[in-house]
Amino acid sequence: MLSKNEEDYLKELFHLTTGEESDNAGTGQLADKLAVTPASANNMLKKLKEKGLVGYQKYGKSTLTEAGRAAALQLIRKHRLWETFLYETLDFSWDEVHEVAEQLEHIRSEKLIEKLDKFLDYPEFDPHGDPIPDAQGNMAPRKKLTLAEIPVGQACRIIGVRDSSALFLQYISELGLSLKSEITVLEKIAFDNSLRILSEGREIQVSEKFSLHVFVR
Amino acid sequence: MLSKNEEDYLKELFHLTTGEESDNAGTGQLADKLAVTPASANNMLKKLKEKGLVGYQKYGKSTLTEAGRAAALQLIRKHRLWETFLYETLDFSWDEVHEVAEQLEHIRSEKLIEKLDKFLDYPEFDPHGDPIPDAQGNMAPRKKLTLAEIPVGQACRIIGVRDSSALFLQYISELGLSLKSEITVLEKIAFDNSLRILSEGREIQVSEKFSLHVFVR
DNA sequence: TAGGGTATTTAGACAAGACTAACTTTTATG
DNA sequence: CATAAAAGTTAGTCTTGTCTAAATACCCTA
Ligand SMILES: [Mn+2]
Ligand SMILES: [Mn+2]
Ligand SMILES: [Mn+2]
Ligand SMILES: [Mn+2]
């Protein structure tokens, strides 16, 4: 039985080692993400290695074992199902769901998560467009196309975001955009790759950085 | 900010001091309920006294202060709303909801509980017939009439149960009875006050003890 | 009213996780 | 390649909450 903290470490390790960047993570990198000192992360890594969930060696980078990966995926499944519930059923906004799901994901009940999945009608993606792993830990690949890659004149629809920080999510909400918003690219400014886009009749100017954080279809 | 454990102690203290029995509780009595040693309960009582939530004196009985009572009621509100959600929305059975609600009640989010209350359409009673306190901590009085008091020939409807132990709830489920079941008392056996009752066409024999645990209207 | 039994409290230890400060290893740089 | 900076580790301490064992207080009854 994993503790809440052990679960959070595994989940973060999963995110750090599953991106395009790298398939392993340093102690300090992990510590940063969890807002903890490197000493604390080091301590936990040793414990998780003992439990066979993490590949760790002194002064080396860490990885998840198969067992660790499976545990992380179960947590991610719960996190994203709860986010979906908060967004779809309780009318939370895009940027509010993460914090609460961070707590709800640790509730221990097989039955609860099965019933929730069924109640939500087996959703495939969470409110940020991230895929929800199934009970066996299978997860659809993340969509990769960003707003930055859409040619001028083309219309597209938001299906996700690259990061779920409250700062970014609040900004995108303020722009009047959200999941499923339809966007047309009006002009790409060659100087800095910023975009003029059209959504629901309103014209908006966004930076290249912004456009790289928005996934579209 | 109260910890999960502090919350559980306050809630149990509320239950022990709000029944008809007594308005205070001994250290060992509290320890029993929380499945903890008297030494642990003693330790916590001193801490809660420091925080102004509990009235405690060495070798004396303990009580809740007004602040402690208010905190306990908020927790009970969350517990019973979650039980209602599990029962009504996710189709949990009568005897399964308590254990999961015991975890869910500790999720910290004002907004969550408001939205849940609204989603459930502001329920007044939980699946066990217990009243749900409102956001200000006001709680309707518990119904008092038990099955044991119903005269022979009279029909009634189950509105709650005296205790929510899994043992009792499973038994009542096995009998085919649940919240809102209609019951007619066919005969009261004078020897031991056991009852023959009729529900949905089936005849059932129940003990006096059982009948004292079922609240009806 | 003096024991004796029961309830309560204290003392000391342990586990999980966190922190700071000091130390070691690795890596990058001139 | 030498050395300084960065990254990682260790040691020791703290907090929360638990336990066991031993000491104390309370209370009931002979
Ligand atoms: Mn979490
Ligand atoms: Mn998400
Ligand atoms: Mn609880
Ligand atoms: Mn209940």
Side-chain angles (χ1 to χ4, degrees):
Chain A
M1 187 103 308
L2 298 175
S3 73
K4 173 198 174 292
N5 287 330
E6 290 172 327
E7 288 184 335
D8 281 334
Y9 272 95
L10 289 177
K11 179 158 63 96
E12 203 50 60
L13 214 35
F14 180 93
H15 290 313
L16 285 172
T17 60
T18 308
E20 302 84 44
E21 306 286 310
S22 162
D23 65 343
N24 57 39
T27 304
Q29 198 183 359
L30 179 59
D32 279 354
K33 289 284 186 180
L34 290 160
V36 120
T37 61
S40 301
N42 180 260
N43 192 47
M44 184 61 92
L45 283 170
K46 290 195 285 189
K47 198 201 312 182
L48 292 174
K49 180 200 168 86
E50 277 317 297
K51 295 199 177 190
L53 298 165
V54 162
Y56 163 80
Q57 299 183 153
K58 251 193 195 184
Y59 297 104
K61 305 280 186 180
S62 298
T63 56
L64 283 179
T65 63
E66 263 316 302
R69 188 184 149 79
L73 278 164
Q74 281 314 302
L75 194 65
I76 288 166
R77 168 172 162 78
K78 292 197 275 181
H79 183 99
R80 292 183 179 166
L81 280 173
W82 279 116
E83 283 191 344
T84 304
F85 168 75
L86 294 172
Y87 184 77
E88 297 287 336
T89 309
L90 295 192
D91 279 318
F92 272 65
S93 69
W94 225 13
D95 56 307
E96 294 170 326
V97 298
H98 184 79
E99 179 192 342
V100 183
E102 200 57 47
Q103 300 176 59
L104 284 164
E105 68 190 358
H106 302 289
I107 301 292
R108 269 170 242 287
S109 168
E110 268 297 318
K111 188 164 239 162
L112 175 58
I113 215 65
E114 276 171 40
K115 297 247 189 197
L116 189 64
D117 196 17
K118 179 177 185 182
F119 172 72
L120 296 170
D121 202 19
Y122 309 105
E124 291 188 57
F125 297 93
D126 83 1
H128 308 110
D130 292 314
I132 301 174
D134 67 19
Q136 286 70 50
N138 304 117
M139 181 166 66
R142 182 66 139 95
K143 307 296 187 291
K144 293 280 190 350
L145 195 65
T146 68
L147 178 57
E149 299 159 74
I150 303 299
V152 172
Q154 179 88 44
C156 60
R157 190 177 292 277
I158 298 183
I159 59 166
V161 292
R162 186 179 295 279
D163 88 285
S164 298
S165 69
L167 207 62
F168 175 63
L169 293 174
Q170 272 161 25
Y171 174 52
I172 194 171
S173 289
E174 275 165 30
L175 291 180
L177 300 175
S178 67
L179 204 58
K180 293 175 187 163
S181 287
E182 194 164 319
I183 291 175
T184 306
V185 178
L186 297 178
E187 183 187 1
K188 179 172 232 160
I189 286 87
F191 166 60
D192 60 1
N193 286 325
S194 64
L195 302 176
R196 271 199 314 121
I197 61 178
L198 184 71
S199 180
E200 291 176 24
R202 289 175 311 98
E203 247 187 58
I204 308 171
Q205 179 95 25
V206 298
S207 70
E208 181 184 25
K209 179 168 180 186
F210 178 88
S211 70
L212 286 166
H213 277 67
V214 175
F215 292 112
V216 298
R217 182 180 47 205
Chain B
M1 188 107 306
L2 298 175
S3 73
K4 173 198 173 294
N5 287 333
E6 289 172 328
E7 287 184 335
D8 280 334
Y9 273 94
L10 289 178
K11 178 157 65 95
E12 202 51 60
L13 214 36
F14 180 92
H15 289 314
L16 285 173
T17 59
T18 308
E20 301 84 43
E21 306 287 309
S22 162
D23 66 343
N24 57 40
T27 304
Q29 197 184 359
L30 179 59
D32 279 353
K33 289 284 186 180
L34 290 160
V36 119
T37 61
S40 301
N42 180 259
N43 192 47
M44 184 60 92
L45 283 170
K46 288 195 284 190
K47 198 203 309 182
L48 292 173
K49 181 201 168 86
E50 276 318 296
K51 296 199 176 190
L53 298 166
V54 160
Y56 163 79
Q57 300 183 153
K58 250 193 195 182
Y59 296 104
K61 305 282 184 178
S62 298
T63 56
L64 284 179
T65 63
E66 262 317 302
R69 187 185 151 79
L73 278 165
Q74 282 313 301
L75 194 66
I76 288 166
R77 168 172 163 76
K78 292 197 274 181
H79 183 99
R80 293 183 180 166
L81 279 173
W82 279 116
E83 283 191 343
T84 305
F85 168 75
L86 295 172
Y87 184 78
E88 297 287 338
T89 309
L90 295 191
D91 279 320
F92 272 65
S93 68
W94 225 14
D95 55 308
E96 294 169 326
V97 298
H98 184 79
E99 179 191 344
V100 183
E102 199 57 47
Q103 300 176 60
L104 286 163
E105 68 189 359
H106 302 288
I107 303 292
R108 265 171 245 286
S109 168
E110 268 295 318
K111 189 164 238 160
L112 176 59
I113 215 63
E114 275 171 40
K115 297 248 192 196
L116 189 65
D117 196 17
K118 180 178 183 180
F119 172 74
L120 296 170
D121 202 20
Y122 309 103
E124 291 187 57
F125 295 93
D126 82 2
H128 308 109
D130 292 312
I132 301 173
D134 66 19
Q136 286 70 50
N138 304 116
M139 182 166 66
R142 182 70 140 93
K143 308 295 187 295
K144 292 281 194 343
L145 195 65
T146 69
L147 178 57
E149 298 159 73
I150 303 298
V152 171
Q154 179 88 45
C156 60
R157 189 176 293 276
I158 298 182
I159 59 167
V161 293
R162 184 179 297 278
D163 88 285
S164 298
S165 69
L167 206 63
F168 175 63
L169 293 174
Q170 272 162 26
Y171 173 54
I172 194 170
S173 289
E174 276 166 30
L175 292 179
L177 300 174
S178 68
L179 204 58
K180 293 175 187 162
S181 289
E182 192 163 322
I183 290 175
T184 308
V185 178
L186 298 177
E187 183 186 1
K188 180 171 230 160
I189 286 87
F191 165 61
D192 61 1
N193 285 324
S194 65
L195 302 177
R196 270 199 314 121
I197 62 179
L198 184 73
S199 179
E200 291 174 26
R202 289 176 311 98
E203 248 188 56
I204 307 170
Q205 179 96 22
V206 299
S207 70
E208 179 183 27
K209 179 169 181 186
F210 178 89
S211 70
L212 286 166
H213 277 68
V214 175
F215 292 110
V216 297
R217 181 178 51 201

